[in-house]
Amino acid sequence: MTTSPLSSLAKWSLERDDESDPNGRIYRNSSGEIFHSVTRILKETSASKAHLEAWMERLGVERATQERDVAAERGTRTHNAAEYVLRTAKKISEATAKKKGNLYVDKYNLECVPAPLTKWAIKQTLPSAPKVGLSANGYRRSLLNWIAENVTCIHAIEFAIQHPGGFAGTADFLGNIAGKGPLIVDWKTSFNKRGELLLIDYCDQLGAYSLGLKHLCGLQAAGGIVVVARRAGPPDIRHLSELELRGAEARFLDRLSDYRSSLGL
């Protein structure tokens, strides 16, 4: 097998710096260069920022903070369950494929496990996935069921990106969905159906990760998917073609420019 372009993802060389900016996330490399968090850039440049501020004013700071913290904890627990399933299934499927001798390399030079074996490994892993408590259980079920039905190859989970434009972040998943890929996928949770402004933020987040992936690995993803797990029923899904993902990349760069200007950079 030739060296996978994803081998560059392991070369994470940034450290989080909370002392310089305790109200946000910045990272520094060994030379002291600063990289701003993708999520913070999106938050500060979001068209939905005014709606969020109005919501907090309507509920009051204390109640709004409590609801936000509950939602964040719910999201973290659901993410952790998905991460466990995918990491474990990746190990099982790759080990089994190596024994059977049916690993193959796709046109992107990525090592792949056959789809039926990947789906089998995910199914084997689901029963041992971490429990999340009653408040998050529906979201966990919504997301894990979608993963079991749709993921057909697992390339990378919770992978870190950085970019010379001065931003960094962690993407949830890179893999094949229903036989198509590689796609960048981001997991979300929401009690309510998300409005268009927030969905644009989510898509632009994929654009940032796509830019980082290209910088580190020279790999252009074939598209992206935002999966918004719901308390009941299947997730809400937003698909991005490769062209739409490139559009999200361009929008994120525009937002990055606005963000840097607001900081006087």
Side-chain angles (χ1 to χ4, degrees):
M1 295 284 184
T2 57
T3 301
S4 168
L6 298 182
S7 59
S8 300
L9 291 178
K11 300 174 183 177
W12 177 246
S13 58
L14 304 183
E15 291 187 3
R16 184 165 160 172
D17 179 1
D18 291 325
E19 292 185 8
S20 299
D21 189 355
N23 296 316
R25 291 185 179 180
I26 65 171
Y27 304 87
R28 294 181 185 272
N29 62 14
S30 58
S31 301
E33 294 175 295
I34 293 176
F35 295 80
H36 294 264
S37 164
V38 167
T39 52
R40 186 184 185 194
I41 294 167
L42 292 168
K43 177 183 176 182
E44 294 301 320
T45 59
S46 176
S48 65
K49 186 177 180 182
H51 295 282
L52 177 60
E53 291 172 349
W55 172 79
M56 293 190 70
E57 183 176 349
R58 185 172 66 252
L59 265 65
V61 175
E62 184 176 353
R63 182 181 171 191
T65 300
Q66 289 175 344
E67 291 199 11
R68 183 188 60 196
D69 291 347
V70 168
E73 178 66 16
R74 177 186 73 208
T76 297
R77 289 177 179 271
T78 303
H79 271 73
N80 289 345
E83 180 181 359
Y84 170 86
V85 167
L86 291 166
R87 286 195 187 280
T88 306
K90 188 175 192 295
K91 291 178 181 178
I92 293 173
S93 62
E94 288 181 350
T96 305
K98 286 177 182 177
K99 287 182 180 179
K100 292 178 175 290
N102 56 7
L103 281 173
Y104 67 96
V105 176
D106 67 9
K107 66 179 182 180
Y108 297 92
N109 204 31
L110 298 176
E111 191 175 78
C112 298
V113 172
L117 187 51
T118 297
K119 294 178 74 67
W120 168 83
I122 291 172
K123 184 177 180 180
Q124 297 301 307
T125 304
L126 286 175
S128 61
K131 301 300 184 286
V132 296
L134 185 61
S135 64
N137 192 53
Y139 302 95
R140 171 188 180 274
R141 180 171 56 251
S142 176
L143 180 55
L144 295 189
N145 285 347
W146 188 89
I147 288 172
E149 292 171 3
N150 292 280
V151 172
T152 51
C153 189
I154 304 168
H155 294 307
I157 308 103
E158 294 291 324
F159 61 94
I161 63 92
Q162 56 179 290
H163 189 275
F167 62 88
T170 302
D172 290 333
F173 179 64
L174 180 73
N176 292 4
I177 304 298
K180 298 179 180 179
L183 304 178
I184 301 174
V185 186
D186 199 56
W187 319 125
K188 304 292 184 184
T189 61
S190 178
F191 179 81
N192 297 310
K193 190 175 182 65
R194 287 306 194 186
E196 188 61 26
L197 291 178
L198 269 176
L199 286 174
I200 290 174
D201 287 346
Y202 296 163
C203 292
D204 291 355
Q205 187 172 358
L206 293 182
Y209 297 150
S210 181
L211 288 165
L213 186 66
K214 282 195 287 189
H215 166 65
L216 292 173
C217 305
L219 177 66
Q220 172 64 59
I225 301 181
V226 178
V227 181
V228 185
R230 303 294 299 278
R231 187 176 68 172
D236 294 331
I237 306 297
R238 172 61 68 92
H239 293 269
L240 280 77
S241 66
E242 181 178 333
L243 181 61
E244 290 169 325
L245 183 61
R246 289 178 182 269
E249 293 173 8
R251 286 196 306 272
F252 179 80
L253 289 176
D254 286 342
R255 294 173 70 164
L256 174 64
S257 178
D258 291 342
Y259 174 78
R260 293 181 65 86
S261 295
S262 72
L263 297 178
L265 300 176

